[in-house]
Amino acid sequence: SIGGTDTNTGLFTGSDIIGFATGGSERLRIDASGNVILGSDNVKLQIGASQDLYLWHNGSTGNSNISNVTGDLYIQGNNGSGTAVNQIAIKSNAAVELNYQGSKTAWTTGTGFNIKGGNTAAQTELQIYGNEGRDAEILLAADDGDDNADYWKIISSSDNSFYLQNYTGGSYATNIKATGNAGVEVYFNGSKKFETTNDGVLMNGHTNYQDNQKARFGASNDIAIFHDGSHSYIEGYNTGS
């Protein structure tokens, strides 16, 4: 090695490489392609006066790590004008923030995840796209998702319909189906009970009213049918036969 009195520590050369060793072991080399190589697992590239930031590969877990132990960690990108702006911010013991053109648009919280549009002149949107011929779905699960009844789906289907579905029975069943430029259907335990049509609504089952609640007909509520708890009535409110 090229060094001082410590013969097993210093700089060495080989076939088109330059290396550095300490304690008789290679720690770093620059190869013929100019790559800088730290060739051992668990060896850290440490940056900062107190080794605040380091890059390393964990040989036990097989995972690679970027570790920051002082302050926040930022990943920056070009803002289009040659200036570096924050794209990802990892806050110390707090949120992870995603930025668009330097403005925070999404971030983690103690209760979940928030989004906010970076363009204050536009609406904030969460966009989910299904692949060609496939649906776009949002799956919701309450109470740790440990029971079938905890699960619900919101679906934008490739059949041009929107669905709200539940998993209570062990398979997804539709509660509401809405089709573009067509009807809305409402289901009870998998059976369709109500739907809108081009000339009104279609019922499949009984329509029940509590006492003193009236079924009214006519543009001016001209006639009503109801039960007051003791007697049944048909009332006419306006003139006519």
Side-chain angles (χ1 to χ4, degrees):
S1 68
I2 301 173
T5 58
D6 191 345
T7 58
N8 65 359
T9 297
L11 180 149
F12 64 90
T13 62
S15 178
D16 294 326
I17 66 101
I18 297 176
F20 294 87
T22 61
S25 297
E26 178 183 326
R27 304 303 184 185
L28 178 150
R29 74 165 55 192
I30 303 173
D31 68 13
S33 299
N35 298 309
V36 179
I37 301 169
L38 298 177
S40 300
D41 288 336
N42 304 311
V43 173
K44 300 178 177 67
L45 173 62
Q46 297 179 326
I47 302 171
S50 300
Q51 295 80 52
D52 309 283
L53 174 68
Y54 43 93
L55 285 71
W56 60 294
H57 182 78
N58 189 319
S60 298
T61 64
N63 297 325
S64 298
N65 304 274
I66 300 174
S67 303
N68 181 59
V69 296
T70 304
D72 301 331
L73 175 63
Y74 296 91
I75 298 176
Q76 298 185 322
N78 184 1
N79 69 348
S81 301
T83 300
V85 295
N86 295 336
Q87 298 293 93
I88 301 175
I90 303 172
K91 298 294 186 176
S92 178
N93 197 33
V96 175
E97 301 174 355
L98 302 179
N99 296 271
Y100 179 78
Q101 294 183 343
S103 296
K104 183 172 71 174
T105 57
W107 62 99
T108 59
T109 70
T111 56
F113 187 75
N114 293 344
I115 64 170
K116 180 182 179 182
N119 183 355
T120 58
Q123 304 296 331
T124 295
E125 298 178 342
L126 174 61
Q127 299 182 0
I128 301 175
Y129 291 88
N131 292 318
E132 182 66 31
R134 308 299 295 178
D135 300 341
E137 302 182 354
I138 298 176
L139 174 64
L140 304 173
D143 193 31
D144 277 338
D146 51 9
D147 298 296
N148 288 344
D150 296 335
Y151 288 86
W152 290 81
K153 271 187 181 181
I154 300 171
I155 303 170
S156 176
S157 174
S158 58
D159 68 3
N160 195 36
S161 296
F162 168 89
Y163 294 86
L164 175 65
Q165 296 183 335
N166 74 86
Y167 194 70
T168 301
S171 61
Y172 280 101
T174 297
N175 292 81
I176 299 174
K177 175 183 177 182
T179 302
N181 292 330
V184 175
E185 302 173 2
V186 180
Y187 291 76
F188 179 83
N189 196 24
S191 177
K192 183 167 61 176
K193 297 298 182 181
F194 177 93
E195 67 177 297
T196 60
T197 67
N198 63 340
D199 59 358
V201 298
L202 178 63
M203 308 289 295
N204 182 19
H206 302 291
T207 302
N208 299 317
Y209 296 85
Q210 299 296 320
D211 288 342
N212 296 305
Q213 301 298 308
K214 299 177 180 181
R216 292 174 172 169
F217 303 88
S220 300
N221 298 324
D222 305 288
I223 188 171
I225 302 173
F226 70 99
H227 184 81
D228 68 358
S230 299
H231 306 287
S232 298
Y233 298 87
I234 299 176
E235 291 184 346
Y237 292 96
N238 294 306
T239 58
S241 300

